[in-house]
Amino acid sequence: MSAGPAAAPERRSASDATGGALLGACAAWALITAGVHGGSPEGMLLAVLAVAAGYAGGRICGALLPVAAPCAGALAGLGFAVSAPRLALTPSSPLGHAGATAALLTLSAGAACCAAWAAHTPSARLALRLLAAGVAVTAAVLGSPVGCAGATVVLLCSLAAARVRNRTLGIAGLAAAAVLITGVFLAVADDALPDGLTAPLEGTLGQHRVLLWQDALGLAERDPVMGVGPGRFGEVSPVVAEGLVADGKPHSAPLQQASEQGLVGAALLAAVFCWLLYALWRSPGPTQVVLSAGAALTALTAVAAVGNALSVTTVTAGAGLLAGIATARPLHDEPRDGSLPRPR
């Protein structure tokens, strides 16, 4: 049974409060670990601020302009990606730039798909889906196969969402996909996969990257609670000391959190992603918009698991913006002719 419309604002307020508490805990834990082991918590603090600001801005813009806001976000993300260095996500590429480019393209495709489902007319929906397809083509032209794959997967998931009436199953599927993808890459780092799977994956990911991941696992095992301190991976990693990479990061968000801020930091990162999915699940918007945004955020977790995308402020702000737009309640929320029903 439904708890009634009066209960919905209370549940959304509880969701927002939970998100604020989690983001605050991420910032506080970064300061605590920096106080114990030293390091630079500014990167985590900036990421938390970017997500919070993007989410708040998305809620406001999504309420005022449910079609124009995600469309503008898609174009802005595409513009940032085009203006970034044209680097492919290959074993020899600097993953900070390439991963950020792939992440921005993926988020841009997700925003275009959200705008398409929120549009009033079939012609506008078609134009916005063509924009999402154009993002995938642009990624291929820029030499970002991961960005192209991410944008394509998001577009296909958005189209498939037309047949989904129960968003709970869709959100559960996205959560399972994120867990599976992250688990596979962690298994590669721990050399826990069968040889027949490990060798092809290592060949695709690059040996240097796998060595960085193994260093990160070793550091996490050294101090599983608090890690070595935020931003200190480059100071203590043997692979970084050998000069094989220049930026001093393990190029995997979960492993960076585990090595620098311990399992507590990694758990907080996972909790923030779970909160975003929960906020989408509780969103008053159409299920198709919710699942399109969820697909983009899930694809972002895959990019972040093998790269350095979450260290780029534009990416974290974009993720928060997309989630905020998808969870906003439009100010003019009347049923429209030709629009899909809003599933519960």
Side-chain angles (χ1 to χ4, degrees):
M1 294 178 60
S2 173
E10 296 180 3
R11 289 193 292 265
R12 283 169 57 79
S13 297
S15 173
D16 293 342
T18 300
L22 286 173
L23 292 175
C26 290
W29 188 249
L31 292 172
I32 291 172
T33 53
V36 173
H37 292 300
S40 303
E42 292 81 5
M44 174 58 70
L45 298 179
L46 183 60
V48 168
L49 179 61
V51 171
Y55 186 76
R59 288 284 288 269
I60 296 171
C61 295
L64 296 174
L65 302 167
V67 179
C71 181
L75 293 174
L78 182 60
F80 280 121
V82 170
S83 63
R86 298 189 178 187
L87 299 170
L89 191 56
T90 63
S92 60
S93 66
L95 301 179
H97 296 295
T101 299
L104 286 172
L105 291 167
T106 300
L107 292 173
S108 296
C113 291
C114 288
W117 281 117
H120 292 221
T121 62
S123 59
R125 288 178 180 172
L126 176 61
L128 290 165
R129 284 169 185 150
L130 289 176
L131 173 60
V135 171
V137 173
T138 302
V141 173
L142 293 177
S144 176
V146 172
C148 181
T152 301
V153 168
V154 170
L155 177 57
L156 292 177
C157 289
S158 178
L159 293 174
R163 297 183 176 274
V164 177
R165 292 296 179 266
N166 187 341
R167 72 173 60 179
T168 301
L169 295 178
I171 293 294
L174 293 174
V179 171
L180 177 62
I181 293 169
T182 304
V184 167
F185 293 129
L186 291 178
V188 171
D190 197 35
D191 197 20
L193 291 177
D195 293 339
L197 294 176
T198 300
L201 286 173
E202 287 187 356
T204 302
L205 296 169
Q207 185 62 31
H208 292 168
R209 188 179 346 209
V210 175
L211 291 175
L212 285 170
W213 292 356
Q214 292 173 348
D215 272 1
L217 279 178
L219 294 175
E221 292 174 356
R222 181 190 304 180
D223 192 338
V225 177
M226 306 194 74
V228 298
R232 295 194 65 234
F233 177 83
E235 300 176 16
V236 296
S237 169
V239 175
V240 175
E242 293 173 3
L244 297 179
V245 292
D247 62 1
K249 297 182 183 296
H251 296 286
S252 173
L255 289 173
Q256 181 170 352
Q257 284 293 99
S259 62
E260 294 184 347
Q261 298 183 44
L263 296 181
V264 175
L268 286 172
L269 178 64
V272 169
F273 175 70
C274 292
W275 161 66
L276 289 175
L277 290 184
Y278 176 75
L280 289 173
W281 180 63
R282 295 304 319 166
S283 170
T287 289
Q288 291 75 23
V289 172
V290 166
L291 294 183
S292 297
L297 293 175
T298 301
L300 175 61
T301 63
V303 177
V306 298
N308 199 29
L310 295 188
S311 296
V312 179
T313 305
T314 308
V315 174
T316 51
L321 181 68
L322 179 60
I325 289 173
T327 56
R329 179 187 293 276
L331 295 183
H332 304 287
D333 201 20
E334 302 89 352
R336 299 185 297 264
D337 291 339
S339 65
L340 290 175
R342 295 180 181 273
R344 296 191 306 175

